[in-house]
Structures are given as C-alpha cells and as structure tokens.
Amino acid sequence: MKKDAFLKSKVIVPVVLFVIATSFMLLSNNVIPEDSRLKLNDREYFETRGFNVLVFENRYNGMFFDEKTAGILLIHHGVRTATGGAVRLKPTPEQWDQIPFVVERNVTKENNSIDVLLRYEDFDFDTRVYVQPRGTGILFTVTIDKPLPAKLEGRAGFNLEFLPSAYFEKTYLMDGRTGTFPLYPSSSMEVMPANTQLGQFADHSTFDDRGRSEYVEPKPISEGQTLILAPEDPEHHIQIQSLDGNLMLLDGRNVAQNGWFVVRTLIPANKTGKVVEWLLTPNTIPNWTRTPVIGHSQVGYYPDQEKIAVIELDKNDTPLSTASLLKLNERGEFTEKYNDQVKEWGPFMRYHYIKFDFSSVSDRGIYVIQYGDQRSDPFQIGTHIYDNAWQPTLDIWFPVQMDHMFVNEAYRVWHGAAHLDDALQAPVNHQHFDGYRMGDSTETRYTPGERIPGLNIGGWFDAGDYDIRTGSHCNTVIHFVDSWEHFGIKRDETLVDHKQRYVDIHHPDGKPDILQQIEHGTLALIAQHRAFGRAIPGIIVPKLHQYHHLGDGSTMTDNLNYNPNLKIYESDGYSSGTPDDRWAFTNKSSRNNYTSATALAAASRALRGYNDALADECLTTAKKVWTDEHKQPQQESRPGFMFGGTGEMEAALQLYICTKNKQYATRFEELLWPAMEKGFNFNMKNAVRAVPYMDKAYKEKLLPFVKKYKASNDEILKQNPYGVIITTGGWAGNESVISWAVTNYLLHKAFPELMGPEYTYRGINYILGCHPSSDISFVSGIGTRSKKIAYGNNRADYTFIAGGVAPGVLVLKPDFPENKEDWPFLWGENEYVIDICAEYILLANAVLDLGKE
Ligand SMILES: [Ca+2]
Ligand SMILES: [Ca+2]
Ligand SMILES: [Ca+2]
C-alpha cells in the first residue's frame, strides 16, 4: 500500500477509536457517505466498495467438516480475510470439531438483513445469528431462546476467524494495549481433563494424549472490549467492538497448523435473548478498485499458437482500449512490438473481462504484456518452451510421494521408508474420517485386527495425506501408461532400488523413470490381489491424531508391527504395543475391482520387457478380475454417482488392447454407445482412447458425437472468458481442465480436420496462469511465477514440492474465485494429488507433440 493511498483512506486513528469504543452510537447514519454503507445486493451478500460480508452462503458441508470456507466470511479489499463466523464450541475449532447445522437462513431485503438459525443436535442447542449493517460497519447479534446447556457453559461462543497470513507482520490494539500478530504460534496453553472434551467427528480425536487423559487448548493472547486489527494497514484495518462481554484473541495454530486467529465472545450462562453483540467496522479505501490481473501462460507460447491474454477487472474499473506486448532485449530494455485494441468479453462471477489477442506475434524472445500501468511477469515465445514443463513432476514430485521407500535428494532426505508395519484388517461397521467405510463383514478371510501379509510395498502417498487410495492409484498408473505408449518417455534422472527401499533423486540408474513409477504403483495394486484375490478400497491410518500428520511419512507409524502382548507405547525393539499400524479397508466393489484390472492390464504392456514376471502377473490378474466379476450379478454404479459406471467399459478396452480378443471389444461397444447417448461429454475420453485399436466403422460411428462435442466446447467460450470448463464444486477444477485438454488432444490426433489444437492449448494455458483470481502457474516450479506455497505434506513449512499441480481456483458461493498464494492449508485450492499430477505429465507431453506438428 502506497503512503498516499493510506492518507486518502478514511482510516480512523487508534486514539479516536479508543474514545469511540464506548460511544459508537455517535457514528450516526447521517454523517456517513451513502456509498460506504453496506447494502444487501441481489446475490444475497452485503456489499460496499472494498468490503463484502457473506452470511452462510457457504455452509459447512460435513464432508471434511470445517474446511475454513464456511459460515460468515469477510472479503476485504478483494481478499477473503475472515471466515467461520458462527457459534462454536471450542476456542479455536479444528477441522473435526463439531460444526453447527443451518436450520434456516432468512434474507430480508426490506430490513437489509440476513439471519441464520444454527443448531447443534447433540446438545439440543439453537442459536440465531442476526447480521445487519450499522453505520459503515456491520452488527452481529446472537440470540438464544433457552439458556445455554450446562455442558456448554464456558464452551460455546461466537467466533470469527481471521486469516493468519493476512495479518502476519501487522499489529493490533486491544482497548488501546498494543500487540503484534505472532508469526509463529507460541501462546500459553491450558491442559484440560479428557472428560471435558466435547466429542469430535464420529468420536475420533485429533489429540494424541499418550495415555494421559487430557487435551490442550490455547489461552487468549489478549482480552478486552475493542479490538483493532492492523490499524497501520488500510487494506486490512478492522475494528471489532463487543457491546456486551469480552473479546478474546486466540491463535488456533497452537493446536492445528491450519488454524486461524480467532476472535471470540463467550455466551453467558443463565441468559436468554441477546447474548452476544459485536459491531465490526472495516476501513475501506474510498473508490477502491482491484488491480487488474493479466491472465497469461507463465511458460509462454509457441510461435504459431493462439495467444490470448484474459484481463480480469474490478466491475467498477473502466476498461482501457488497448494493451501492448513488449519485448525484452539483452540490455534489459522493453520495446513495444505490438499493440491492439482489447476486446470486450463481459461479466463473469464478480469481475469484468476483456481479452488481448497477440497471436500474430511469432518472433522468439522474452515478452511482457502491458495493460495501463500493470505489467505481466516475463514469458517466452519459442519452440522449446515446453521442453522442461513436466520433468519436475516426474523427477521430484513423484519420487517424494513414494511410500514404503527412503527418498533422498542430494544432501536432503525427504522421508524415511514409511509404513513398514502395513497393514491390519480394518474392523467391521466402521466409518473412517477420510471417507473409507466398512460394512458388517470384512468380506475377506481375515478377522478384524489380523495382520495381512505383503501390503508394505509400492504405492504413493495419495495426496497431501498419506493413504494408499486404490482409485487414484489406478488412474495414476493409467495416465503413466498413456504417457509411455504415446510419447515413449525414457527420461532417467532417478534411482529406484526396491531391495534397499531406496530412492535417489537426480541419480540416473539406467532405467526409465516412468516405468519405475508404473512398477511402483502396480506393486501396491497387485499386493491387494495377492492378499485378497481382488482389489480393495485402500489402506489408511486408524487414528485421527495420526491422519493429520505433517512431515516425514516414516514417522506416521512406529514402523514396528503391532504386538498385543506388549503395553501401549512399549516396544521390544522388534514389535510394538502401540496400535498405530494402518488398516486395510476391504469391502467389495465392482468398480474398484474393474478399475484395478484396467490399470493392471495397461501396466502389463508397459512393463513387458522391463519386468516380465510382473507384466505376466498383471495381465493374468486383470483377466481373472474380468471372469470373477462376470460370475456375479453386475453392480450398478452407486446411486448419485452420475455416469460412474462399474468400470467394466474401461477394463474391456484395456483387455482388448492387450489380448486382441474380440469378446472384450464387443462388450466395450455394448457399454460405450448407450453411455455416449446419455453423456457424450463425460464418456468421450473412453471413446477416443479406443480409436487407434478399433475399425473404421467405429470411427465413423463416433464422428457425429465428436461434432456435438466440438459444438459444446465452443459453447464453453460463451460461459466464461477462458474457454475451458470451470467447475464450482468444493474442490477446484484443474483436474477436469487437464482431463478435458488431454481428451481434446486425442480427438485432434484422431479427427484433425474437425478438432484443432486450440482447445488443448487453452487447457494448459489455464493451468499455467490464464485463469481467474491471479496469473500464477498452478504447477510448482513451472513457469516464471508458480505456486510456492501449496498443500504438500511439507505444508507446515509454507513451501512446495516441485512439479506438484494444485487444484486451482475454488469458487466460493456465489461469485468469489479464490486461490490463496500465502496460505497453503486450503486443500480444495492447493492440495497436490497423484492422479492429477500424472495426467499433467501426459498433457504437457501432448502439448510438446503439438509443437512438432
Ligand atoms: Ca487421502
Ligand atoms: Ca531411473
Ligand atoms: Ca506399528
């Protein structure tokens, strides 16, 4: 923030604030400029320039509990700085603490107000939170009809959580007492007896008390009536006055690294009616306008490809008429090479979009885009730009994810050999916190808790967590085989020694890395068939206090087999009495089994000539799955799992490619064509993959679908300015963009007269910087500027793993696209996942291939 902007802003100096803390009513409505008052807009949130208040448009969805995207949200000068406004039962609630259920939400236009009725079913406890603008601020009023349940006395309070990274290196004032927001958590803690702990998700516990029957909670950093956050920073300056009861400032990071700074007022005992009331007054910079974002590829462009920057503007901004392209010379001087009118696109979500087309520039070099006084990061135009755009994903990211291995990189050890104590049979009737579930039978020959041999081999840490998830493993293997078969990637920069369980990054060993990764994934998949005669859903730690592990995966369990004859926390050096071994979730699923067969069949081709014994076992196993599944009634896809299918179609295709046996091709077509009628967009990826292996009639039959598909691709350009699918689910959509772009590449290869390469370019440009919210590349280490803070398993260090692909732009309802660059802990925006990363390698190689055309 420039100093003049600071002076121009209607910042209230701390001394004045302290005086008005007890007399805020003096801020009467008639002295406040009309345009700085919050108004309820048509999208049902309170809005003024530079400040929005969203009230439960984004709800706790229960899937991963508190994702720090729900409740009352503040968007302050374009940044979501606060979230989680609600009555909560903990000083600093963690992800798996209880969340309230929204019984009703009333938007009352006439009153300019929103209220929500929140309920905690376990305690028969209802609160109403009423939100209404007052002066230049907003009033939060909490009411209850019945006195607080005795168990919640001193526990329930109104909380609002502030994003730590937005307040790092900033100060606060509590009733005039000064403080600096802690960069690292170091609050005083209170030890609480275990029996006062309110239940967490499904009676799991995030806290490992080591047998001490206790847990801990942070004590307030500061208490008082009026809190001013960041008085020195006009963009983040907020005042909160409690009109009754104390405000507490707490640091949630003391109990969970993804915790936020919490401002809280306890609900008093034995009282009904109005129990908490806050007046929250933000500073807003008059006529604040968000800085334009010049969306472009951080890697750059081929000389002959379509080159369109998408410029994202504040809706109050007046678009300029032109933009220009500057070339950088060896002396560091920029000279204008091209300028042109920008083209209006229009509104999308909360912003306004224009486009700048510089496709006609094809000279090799380093360029920037200039729009007004905004200048993009430098990028290249050249034929070589994608040469290194995927190597970090294969060289670094995947080795770091390798489970059951010690992973070294030069002077650094990423992690020791992890989970050597895999695995025990999971218990029956169990709902796991990561979505795994066991019914009332194990459906195996093992009894609950029994050791299953042979599972401590192969596989990758699924994502930012560490489980072996069968579905994502299968997809990863399939993407790797696609990359191997289409592009013959022979790159060798990694040593993998399974005998020693040793991986060394930047150490060639004479074997193609992609085959070594296919082998490593396949070993985990085949281990399931060896142990159970079929695929299982996956393997994961049993305890919640293990699951939130951050750091070296080899310390997630003690790596010693559980021995029930020893006491808990006791070890004889060979085994251990601590029940921390992972559990295998084993219930049957046709989809799982078919998907595993698909991956194993595909892997058998890639592994042929590299590891023939494993290749044979993979193919034999895949055929056995086919036979076994056809002996039993076909299970339809899960209800609600749209287009999910049983996975039989994909298995049929891979088995046909391996064996050329007609029965598989026949079955593939029996399943494919009706599926294409129902949803050609979703099934096109399967249809086009078969083209090289099927006859001419197949391709002719596919043609009308491809025409419809192309028309639907062109339709996307009317829906958003980026011309790719932008999803609005709870997990951002880079996976669908990558998968769509790969399908478009395969269609371009199969039907070049119909499908141009531009759809594939659009997909990769989106991933590499041409997207809403910012212009960062979502692949860490790829492009001039990329994700340096992401949700890898080293996220506690606010860092990245090179080559990881983030999920991207999450759309918070109703219109706020977000990808936090300074806060790693939002998995829906920043979590690397194995199958997405493997498919990115495929996409980058597809684009390399387009460059050769
Ligand atoms: Ca997982
Ligand atoms: Ca190698
Ligand atoms: Ca163990």
Side-chain angles (χ1 to χ4, degrees):
M1 173 52 53
K2 289 197 209 90
K3 198 170 178 211
D4 55 348
F6 179 88
L7 292 173
K8 267 188 278 170
S9 71
K10 56 179 174 54
V11 68
I12 308 158
V13 296
V15 179
V16 178
L17 274 174
F18 190 42
V19 174
I20 62 169
T22 50
S23 55
F24 78 98
M25 295 305 285
L26 291 175
L27 284 170
S28 72
N29 285 353
N30 55 18
V31 299
I32 295 156
E34 187 64 29
D35 64 354
S36 61
R37 285 185 206 159
L38 286 156
K39 279 181 215 71
L40 192 54
N41 66 17
D42 292 339
R43 293 177 177 174
E44 299 194 345
Y45 61 84
F46 298 101
E47 181 181 20
T48 186
R49 271 179 90 159
F51 193 65
N52 305 156
V53 182
L54 281 64
V55 181
F56 277 89
E57 300 211 272
N58 296 277
R59 301 186 181 185
Y60 298 104
N61 64 29
M63 186 154 138
F64 292 110
F65 267 51
D66 184 356
E67 305 185 44
K68 305 295 179 197
T69 53
I72 295 169
L73 276 52
L74 308 182
I75 298 172
H76 201 181
H77 295 113
V79 179
R80 181 168 63 102
T81 52
T83 211
V87 170
R88 302 298 301 272
L89 310 182
K90 280 271 189 81
T92 63
E94 295 171 56
Q95 180 183 341
W96 294 275
D97 282 319
Q98 296 196 32
I99 47 178
F101 164 70
V102 179
V103 181
E104 59 178 47
R105 174 175 180 270
N106 304 303
V107 180
T108 318
K109 266 258 150 165
E110 313 81 73
N111 284 348
N112 201 25
S113 72
I114 302 179
D115 66 274
V116 285
L117 182 63
L118 304 175
R119 178 167 178 79
Y120 287 97
E121 196 67 54
D122 286 5
F123 301 97
D124 184 23
F125 174 49
D126 295 333
T127 58
R128 189 174 291 277
V129 181
Y130 187 83
V131 185
Q132 189 180 38
R134 176 73 56 90
T136 56
I138 192 147
L139 199 63
F140 299 111
T141 308
V142 181
T143 62
I144 54 177
D145 293 339
K146 286 188 285 182
L148 198 58
K151 209 172 173 202
L152 298 182
E153 285 177 14
R155 313 295 295 154
F158 182 68
N159 287 18
L160 184 60
E161 309 194 7
F162 285 84
L163 180 68
S165 54
Y167 286 92
F168 286 159
E169 301 175 324
K170 296 187 172 66
T171 67
Y172 64 85
L173 289 158
M174 181 71 93
D175 294 348
R177 295 186 308 277
T178 61
T180 305
F181 282 103
L183 186 62
Y184 200 87
S186 56
S187 302
S188 297
M189 304 298 286
E190 184 153 14
V191 177
M192 310 274 289
N195 61 12
T196 65
Q197 169 83 304
L198 301 175
Q200 293 182 291
F201 171 70
D203 289 330
H204 296 292
S205 171
T206 51
F207 189 68
D208 183 7
D209 78 347
R210 304 296 288 186
R212 302 170 73 93
S213 288
E214 64 193 28
Y215 69 104
V216 293
E217 281 183 351
K219 292 184 190 169
I221 301 171
S222 188
E223 281 191 76
Q225 301 260 225
T226 301
L227 172 66
I228 301 166
L229 297 91
E232 73 277 30
D233 177 358
E235 292 202 17
H236 290 88
H237 177 175
I238 279 184
Q239 172 187 295
I240 304 172
Q241 293 166 266
S242 170
L243 307 178
D244 193 9
N246 263 0
L247 292 172
M248 292 180 272
L249 174 65
L250 299 124
D251 187 349
R253 297 173 302 155
N254 290 284
V255 288
Q257 271 78 1
N258 62 349
W260 292 37
F261 294 135
V262 179
V263 182
R264 164 168 237 246
T265 295
L266 282 173
I267 293 176
N270 303 315
K271 198 176 165 189
T272 56
K274 191 195 289 183
V275 285
V276 177
E277 190 160 49
W278 289 4
L279 178 67
L280 183 149
T281 310
N283 181 64
T284 53
I285 298 167
N287 298 318
W288 177 79
T289 309
R290 183 172 174 264
T291 306
V293 173
I294 306 172
H296 70 285
S297 169
Q298 292 279 349
V299 164
Y301 303 85
Y302 286 137
D304 300 327
Q305 87 176 78
E306 178 185 86
K307 307 175 194 75
I308 300 173
V310 178
I311 303 174
E312 183 179 81
L313 301 175
D314 191 303
K315 67 182 176 187
N316 293 306
D317 204 345
T318 311
L320 304 171
S321 56
T322 61
S324 49
L325 190 72
L326 313 182
K327 192 173 183 185
L328 182 61
N329 70 19
E330 290 173 358
R331 294 180 300 282
E333 299 154 347
F334 291 95
T335 44
E336 185 172 285
K337 279 284 154 189
Y338 180 77
N339 77 68
D340 196 9
Q341 301 282 313
V342 295
K343 287 203 182 63
E344 167 77 8
W345 189 86
F348 175 59
M349 295 192 276
R350 60 170 48 207
Y351 302 121
H352 185 92
Y353 291 87
I354 55 177
K355 290 189 178 189
F356 173 53
D357 188 338
F358 54 101
S359 300
S360 62
V361 178
S362 58
D363 283 358
R364 280 75 171 153
I366 298 170
Y367 294 86
V368 295
I369 297 161
Q370 185 86 36
Y371 172 78
D373 48 16
Q374 277 304 112
R375 186 172 279 187
S376 74
D377 296 305
F379 58 88
Q380 306 171 74
I381 293 178
T383 50
H384 65 292
I385 53 164
Y386 282 102
D387 290 356
N388 302 310
W390 55 275
Q391 283 83 341
T393 311
L394 184 62
D395 293 11
I396 316 290
W397 195 82
F398 268 100
V400 171
Q401 295 303 113
M402 289 170 85
D403 199 356
H404 304 115
M405 304 292 272
F406 180 103
V407 179
N408 185 70
E409 178 186 11
Y411 288 12
R412 167 190 205 170
V413 174
W414 280 91
H415 58 78
H419 305 120
L420 300 181
D421 41 1
D422 277 346
L424 306 180
Q425 169 68 55
V428 295
N429 297 317
H430 183 85
Q431 172 65 55
H432 188 271
F433 35 80
D434 197 26
Y436 296 94
R437 203 171 38 211
M438 286 292 292
D440 52 16
S441 160
T442 64
E443 300 182 288
T444 66
R445 60 192 144 102
Y446 303 100
T447 54
E450 188 177 347
R451 178 156 302 281
I452 298 156
L455 293 182
N456 60 356
I457 183 172
W460 302 280
F461 304 143
D462 171 51
D465 57 4
Y466 301 77
D467 50 322
I468 301 271
R469 193 171 280 270
T470 303
S472 59
H473 273 67
C474 294
N475 293 338
T476 303
V477 167
I478 293 162
H479 296 319
F480 276 142
V481 173
D482 271 349
S483 285
W484 172 254
E485 294 190 333
H486 284 284
F487 308 114
I489 296 170
K490 297 206 172 60
R491 186 173 174 81
D492 169 27
E493 295 295 338
T494 311
L495 175 144
V496 178
D497 183 336
H498 275 112
K499 266 203 192 108
Q500 290 188 32
R501 292 188 184 273
Y502 186 78
V503 176
D504 199 17
I505 294 169
H506 312 305
H507 182 166
D509 64 354
K511 297 170 184 172
D513 297 340
I514 201 158
L515 292 183
Q516 290 174 304
Q517 291 299 337
I518 291 170
E519 180 182 46
H520 195 69
T522 301
L523 285 171
L525 294 177
I526 204 80
Q528 298 179 359
H529 293 271
R530 289 170 186 163
F532 306 103
R534 59 177 169 81
I536 59 166
I539 301 169
I540 191 161
V541 285
K543 301 274 172 33
L544 189 53
H545 67 73
Q546 294 174 277
Y547 178 66
H548 55 57
H549 186 79
L550 288 168
D552 184 337
S554 73
T555 53
M556 194 175 200
T557 68
D558 59 14
N559 274 318
L560 300 170
N561 286 358
Y562 175 60
N563 177 354
N565 300 321
L566 295 172
K567 283 200 200 110
I568 190 166
Y569 311 120
E570 190 179 84
S571 166
D572 58 10
Y574 303 96
S575 62
S576 147
T578 307
D580 66 1
D581 303 12
R582 293 201 294 188
W583 288 348
F585 281 74
T586 55
N587 281 144
K588 280 183 182 166
S589 144
S590 289
R591 183 169 174 79
N592 240 324
N593 215 19
Y594 273 130
T595 307
S596 180
T598 305
L600 292 175
S604 76
R605 300 194 301 272
L607 293 171
R608 182 73 54 206
Y610 171 75
N611 181 341
D612 284 331
L614 186 58
D616 288 341
E617 189 181 2
C618 285
L619 185 56
T620 308
T621 304
K623 287 184 197 164
K624 178 180 172 294
V625 168
W626 183 268
T627 312
D628 290 350
E629 287 295 332
H630 281 87
K631 274 190 216 149
Q632 62 186 33
Q634 289 293 292
Q635 291 172 27
E636 274 306 309
S637 62
R638 273 186 286 154
F641 196 69
M642 207 176 35
F643 310 124
T646 60
E648 186 187 356
M649 186 201 304
E650 293 89 336
L653 176 61
Q654 290 301 329
L655 281 165
Y656 177 63
I657 298 170
C658 289
T659 63
K660 300 289 175 292
N661 182 329
K662 274 276 174 227
Q663 62 150 330
Y664 298 121
T666 307
R667 184 66 183 145
F668 172 70
E669 289 206 66
E670 270 173 26
L671 292 165
L672 176 71
W673 298 117
M676 288 296 277
E677 293 291 346
K678 267 197 251 171
F680 64 89
N681 267 323
F682 184 82
N683 287 293
M684 187 56 82
K685 62 177 182 195
N686 290 325
V688 70
R689 274 175 170 77
V691 169
Y693 311 100
M694 307 296 273
D695 57 14
K696 226 176 127 205
Y698 175 89
K699 206 173 159 183
E700 277 161 19
K701 203 169 172 184
L702 186 57
L703 187 63
F705 289 106
V706 178
K707 285 180 178 159
K708 273 200 276 181
Y709 175 87
K710 179 187 157 56
S712 84
N713 265 2
D714 294 336
E715 194 60 31
I716 296 170
L717 270 173
K718 296 182 193 154
Q719 292 162 14
N720 69 64
Y722 300 95
V724 306
I725 301 153
I726 296 180
T727 58
T728 54
W731 192 283
N734 282 353
E735 178 175 27
S736 23
V737 174
I738 292 171
S739 171
W740 172 83
V742 166
T743 299
N744 290 331
Y745 163 79
L746 296 173
L747 283 167
H748 169 68
K749 293 311 257 191
F751 301 91
E753 65 293 345
L754 202 58
M755 293 287 292
E758 63 272 20
Y759 308 102
T760 308
Y761 287 135
R762 246 174 247 163
I764 199 154
N765 289 347
Y766 184 91
I767 302 301
L768 298 175
C770 189
H771 52 70
S773 169
S774 77
D775 62 350
I776 200 165
S777 158
F778 287 129
V779 189
S780 293
I782 300 300
T784 309
R785 203 162 53 81
S786 63
K787 294 261 24 155
K788 283 189 297 188
I789 293 182
Y791 193 107
N793 53 44
N794 55 357
R795 59 191 174 276
D797 300 317
Y798 290 64
T799 186
F800 65 97
I801 306 171
V805 183
V809 175
L810 189 78
V811 181
L812 291 171
K813 290 185 187 75
D815 63 356
F816 186 67
E818 180 181 81
N819 181 274
K820 293 263 182 227
E821 289 177 34
D822 57 359
W823 186 249
F825 299 107
L826 300 169
W827 55 83
E829 300 180 5
N830 283 328
E831 185 173 8
Y832 308 130
V833 178
I834 51 173
D835 43 355
I836 303 176
C837 290
E839 196 162 17
Y840 170 74
I841 294 175
L842 181 60
L843 174 59
N845 278 280
V847 173
L848 263 173
D849 181 59
L850 290 178
K852 292 179 195 138
E853 282 183 352

